[in-house]
C-alpha cells in the first residue's frame, strides 16, 4: 500500500509561520505539520462536493454596503495610548526601523 | 436558598418587585456563591468588587438589578478584556460593547469576566491561557466551549444569565453539555460592536440562561439595529417573550434533520433523548416531517476553512505595537511582531492562524477557501429551501455528553468535530436555540436545538418554551452546587 503524500510539508509550515509573523522552533514546526496535515486531510471532502455540484451553483449572495454619516468625533488619545506597550509624547514607540534596514 | 441560586430571572424579578429581597442582597448572594464555589469550578476569570459594580448600575427596566457574567471577549469599559489570552494580558477595554450598553441600560449588574477558550478557539475551554473550567455535573469533565465559563456559572447557579459568543456553536454546545438554554441569534440581530472578532462572517453574541423565558428576555434587551455594526438588522425593538404562552402555533411543522439525528456516532442515550423530545413536540401539536439536508454533512469542514481564514486575518492586529503584550526580547520591528505573537498566543490559536493563512494562500485558496465559500452558499440555499416546507428544523447539539479533560489531546480533528451539528446555523446565518432534553446513563446533560429562518427567534422561543413547560429538565441542577451539598 502506498502512503498518501501529506497535504502540507515542513517547509510550507516554515513559510506560513513567516507570513503569519510567528517564530516557532524546529520541533514546533514538525508538530504543526503533523496536526495541520490531519486537519487539511479532513477538509478535502469539500472538493468532491463542489465538483459534484458544479453544474448547480446557487446565485451569489448580494451584499449591500452599509454606510453611516461621516461625523467627526473627538477621540480620547490618552486612553488609547495608555494601552500601548510603549508610548512617548502622544506617539506609539516602535524599534528603530531605518537602522534595522541599513 | 437553593430556590434563589437556581431561580429564573423571572422569579428573581418578582422577588425584587415584591421587595422580598433587595438588589443589594441579591448581588451579595451571587458574589457569595462565586466566593464559595468558583475556586473549584473555575468559571470566572475575574469577579469585580461590589463597589465598582454598584457604581456602574443604571436605572433601567427589563433586567433591573439582575446580575450577569460576561465572556472575556466582550468589551466592558475600564475592565480587563483578555479573550483568555496572554497576548491581551494588560488590555483594558476603552469602551462598552453595544450589547453591554444595552444590558446596562436595562438595569443589569455585570459582575465579572467569564473564562473561555483562547480567542473563542476551542470546544472545551481547555485552550484558555489561565485556567480550566469544570463541568458542574461532573467535575472531571469539560463544560464544552468556547463559552465554557459563562455556561458553567449559569448551570451551577452562580449567576442567572451570562453572555457568550457563537462562531460555530460556542454557546449551544456548552449549554447542551451543562444542561441549560443557549441561543445563537440571527446574524446581525445583536450588534458585534465591542465583541473581539474571531470569524467576522459568523460571530454573534449569544445568551446562556436556565430557562427559555429568561433567554428570550435577555436577548430582547440586546437585540436591534446598531449603526456601528454594518451587518446589523434594521429592526430597533424586539420582544421575544410576548408569545411564550406554553402553546405552539396551530399547524406548526418541524423538520427533523434525519442525517443529523440518526447520524453515525450518536451516543445511544442521546439518540433516545432526541427521540423522546421529538415525541414531546409532536404531543404538543407539531407535525413532524423527516427531511435530509445533505450539505449539513459538509458543514464542519466548511466551517473549519472559513473560520480559520477569517481568524488569520482578524488576529493579525495583535502585533505588540498598539496594545497587548510586547516581547521583552525583541530588538527589531520584525522581532516585535513575531516574538510578541509567538509568546502571546497559545498553541491552538497559532495552529488556526497557520491554517487560515494556508487556505488563503496562492495555490491553495481555490482548493480550500473558495470551495468552502461555494459550499456555504449551497448550504444557505438548501436550508432556505427546507424552510419553504417546514417552519423549524430539529437537530442534535452534540453526539454525546460532556467528555473528560484531555480526551482529544491526541486527536485534534475529533475535537474540531464538536462543532459538527452546530456550525451549520452559523454558516447559514440563521438563529438556533438549544435546550436540555435529558441525561446520559452517567448523569450528563443532553440537549437538542431548533433552527429557524432569519429572525424567527420569537417562534423558536415559543416552541421551546412550550416544550420546557411539559418536561422536567430545566428544574434539575447539579448536586454539588446546591446550598446543602
Amino acid at each position: 500500500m502506498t502512503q498518501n503524500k501529506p497535504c502540507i510539508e515542513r517547509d510550507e509550515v516554515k513559510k506560513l509561520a513567516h507570513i503569519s509573523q510567528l517564530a516557532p522552533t524546529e520541533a514546533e514546526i514538525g508538530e504543526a505539520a503533523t496536526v495541520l496535515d490531519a486537519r487539511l486531510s479532513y477538509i478535502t471532502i469539500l472538493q468532491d462536493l463542489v465538483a459534484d455540484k458544479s453544474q448547480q451553483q446557487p446565485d451569489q449572495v448580494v451584499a449591500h454596503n452599509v454606510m453611516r454619516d461621516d461625523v467627526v468625533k473627538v477621540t480620547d488619545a490618552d486612553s488609547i495610548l495608555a494601552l500601548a506597550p510603549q508610548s512617548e509624547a502622544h506617539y506609539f514607540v516602535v524599534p528603530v526601523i531605518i537602522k534595522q534596514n541599513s | 436558598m437553593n430556590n434563589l441560586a437556581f431561580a429564573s430571572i423571572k422569579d428573581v424579578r418578582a422577588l425584587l418587585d415584591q421587595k422580598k429581597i433587595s438588589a443589594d442582597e441579591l448581588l451579595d448572594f451571587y458574589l457569595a456563591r462565586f466566593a464559595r464555589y468558583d475556586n473549584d469550578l473555575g468559571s470566572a476569570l475575574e469577579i469585580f468588587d461590589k463597589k465598582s459594580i454598584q457604581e456602574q448600575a443604571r436605572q433601567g427596566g427589563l433586567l433591573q438589578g439582575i446580575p450577569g457574567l460576561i465572556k472575556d471577549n466582550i468589551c466592558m469599559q475600564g475592565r480587563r478584556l483578555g479573550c483568555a489570552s496572554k497576548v491581551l494580558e494588560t488590555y483594558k477595554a476603552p469602551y462598552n460593547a453595544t450589547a453591554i450598553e444595552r444590558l446596562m441600560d436595562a438595569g443589569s449588574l455585570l459582575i465579572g469576566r467569564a473564562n473561555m477558550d483562547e480567542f473563542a478557539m476551542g470546544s472545551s475551554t481547555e485552550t484558555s491561557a489561565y485556567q480550566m473550567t469544570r463541568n458542574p455535573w461532573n467535575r472531571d469533565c469539560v463544560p464544552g466551549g468556547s463559552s465554557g465559563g459563562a455556561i458553567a456559572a449559569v448551570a451551577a447557579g452562580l449567576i442567572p444569565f451570562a453572555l457568550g459568543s457563537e462562531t460555530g456553536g460556542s454557546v449551544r454546545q456548552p449549554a447542551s453539555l451543562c444542561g441549560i438554554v443557549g441561543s445563537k441569534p440571527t446574524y446581525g440581530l445583536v450588534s458585534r460592536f465591542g465583541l473581539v472578532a474571531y470569524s467576522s462572517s459568523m460571530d454573534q453574541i449569544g445568551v446562556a440562561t436556565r430557562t427559555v423565558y429568561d433567554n428570550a428576555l435577555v436577548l430582547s434587551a440586546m437585540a436591534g439595529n446598531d449603526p456601528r455594526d454594518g451587518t446589523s438588522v434594521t429592526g430597533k425593538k424586539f420582544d421575544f417573550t410576548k408569545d411564550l404562552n406554553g402553546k405552539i402555533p396551530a399547524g406548526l411543522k418541524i423538520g427533523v434533520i434525519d442525517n443529523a439525528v440518526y447520524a453515525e456516532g450518536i451516543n445511544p442515550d442521546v439518540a433516545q433523548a432526541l427521540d423522546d423530545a421529538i415525541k414531546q413536540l409532536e404531543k404538543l401539536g407539531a407535525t413532524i416531517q423527516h427531511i435530509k439536508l445533505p450539505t449539513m454533512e459538509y458543514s464542519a469542514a466548511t466551517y473549519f476553512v472559513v473560520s480559520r481564514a477569517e481568524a488569520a486575518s482578524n488576529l493579525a492586529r495583535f502585533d505588540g505595537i498598539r496594545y497587548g503584550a510586547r516581547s521583552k526580547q525583541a530588538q527589531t520591528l520584525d522581532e516585535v511582531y513575531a516574538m510578541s505573537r509567538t509568546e502571546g498566543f497559545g498553541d491552538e490559536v497559532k495552529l488556526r492562524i497557520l491554517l487560515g493563512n494556508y487556505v488563503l494562500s496562492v495555490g491553495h485558496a481555490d482548493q480550500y477557501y473558495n470551495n468552502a465559500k461555494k459550499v456555504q452558499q449551497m448550504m444557505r440555499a438548501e436550508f432556505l429551501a427546507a424552510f419553504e416546507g417546514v417552519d423549524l428544523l430539529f437537530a442534535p447539539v452534540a453526539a454525546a455528553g460532556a467528555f473528560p479533560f484531555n480526551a482529544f489531546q491526541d486527536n485534534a480533528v475529533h475535537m474540531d468535530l464538536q462543532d459538527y451539528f452546530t456550525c451549520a446555523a452559523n454558516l447559514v446565518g440563521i438563529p438556533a436555540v438549544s435546550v436540555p432534553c435529558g441525561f446520559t446513563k452517567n448523569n450528563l446533560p443532553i440537549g437538542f436545538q431548533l433552527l429557524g429562518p432569519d429572525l424567527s427567534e420569537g417562534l423558536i422561543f415559543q416552541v421551546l418554551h412550550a416544550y420546557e413547560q411539559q418536561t422536567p429538565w430545566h428544574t434539575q441542577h447539579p448536586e454539588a452546587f446546591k446550598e446543602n451539598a
Side-chain angles (χ1 to χ4, degrees), chain B residues 296-367:
Chain B
M296 195 164 170
E297 290 162 35
Y298 297 85
S299 59
T302 308
Y303 169 74
F304 191 86
V305 175
V306 175
S307 63
R308 272 61 170 177
E310 294 183 12
S313 305
N314 274 325
L315 270 63
R317 72 192 62 175
F318 301 103
D319 57 7
I321 302 295
R322 289 157 300 160
Y323 47 75
R326 178 182 293 183
S327 172
K328 290 186 172 52
Q329 272 74 49
Q331 300 294 318
T332 66
L333 187 65
D334 280 340
E335 283 175 3
V336 167
Y337 294 148
M339 292 171 77
S340 301
R341 289 164 62 78
T342 302
E343 291 167 22
F345 290 136
D347 290 345
E348 180 62 26
V349 174
K350 284 185 244 186
L351 283 169
R352 291 192 188 202
I353 291 171
L354 290 174
L355 200 130
N357 280 325
Y358 181 81
V359 300
L360 287 172
S361 61
V362 174
H364 301 293
D366 269 343
Q367 186 185 359

Side-chain angles (χ1 to χ4, degrees), chain A residues 7 12 16-17 20-23 36 39-40 42-43 46-47 50 57 59 66 68 83-86 92-93 95, chain B residues 91-92 227 230 302 304-305 320-324 326 331 336 338 341-342 348 357-358 364 367 377 412 416-417:
Chain A
C7 295
E12 278 182 295
L16 279 173
S20 304
Q21 295 285 6
L22 293 169
L36 293 178
R39 289 173 160 177
L40 287 166
Y42 174 68
I43 57 179
L46 295 176
Q47 291 168 58
V50 172
Q57 287 294 307
D59 293 337
V66 178
R68 59 173 182 256
L83 297 168
Q86 207 181 338
F92 294 97
V93 174
Chain B
Y91 189 76
K92 276 189 179 172
T302 308
F304 191 86
V305 175
I321 302 295
R322 289 157 300 160
Y323 47 75
R326 178 182 293 183
Q331 300 294 318
V336 167
R341 289 164 62 78
T342 302
E348 180 62 26
N357 280 325
Y358 181 81
H364 301 293
Q367 186 185 359
Q377 284 183 45
D416 292 330
L417 291 177

Side-chain angles (χ1 to χ4, degrees), chain B residues 220-233:
Chain B
S220 301
M222 293 192 301
N225 180 262
D226 177 15
R228 288 173 297 186
D229 179 351
T231 64
S232 189
V233 295

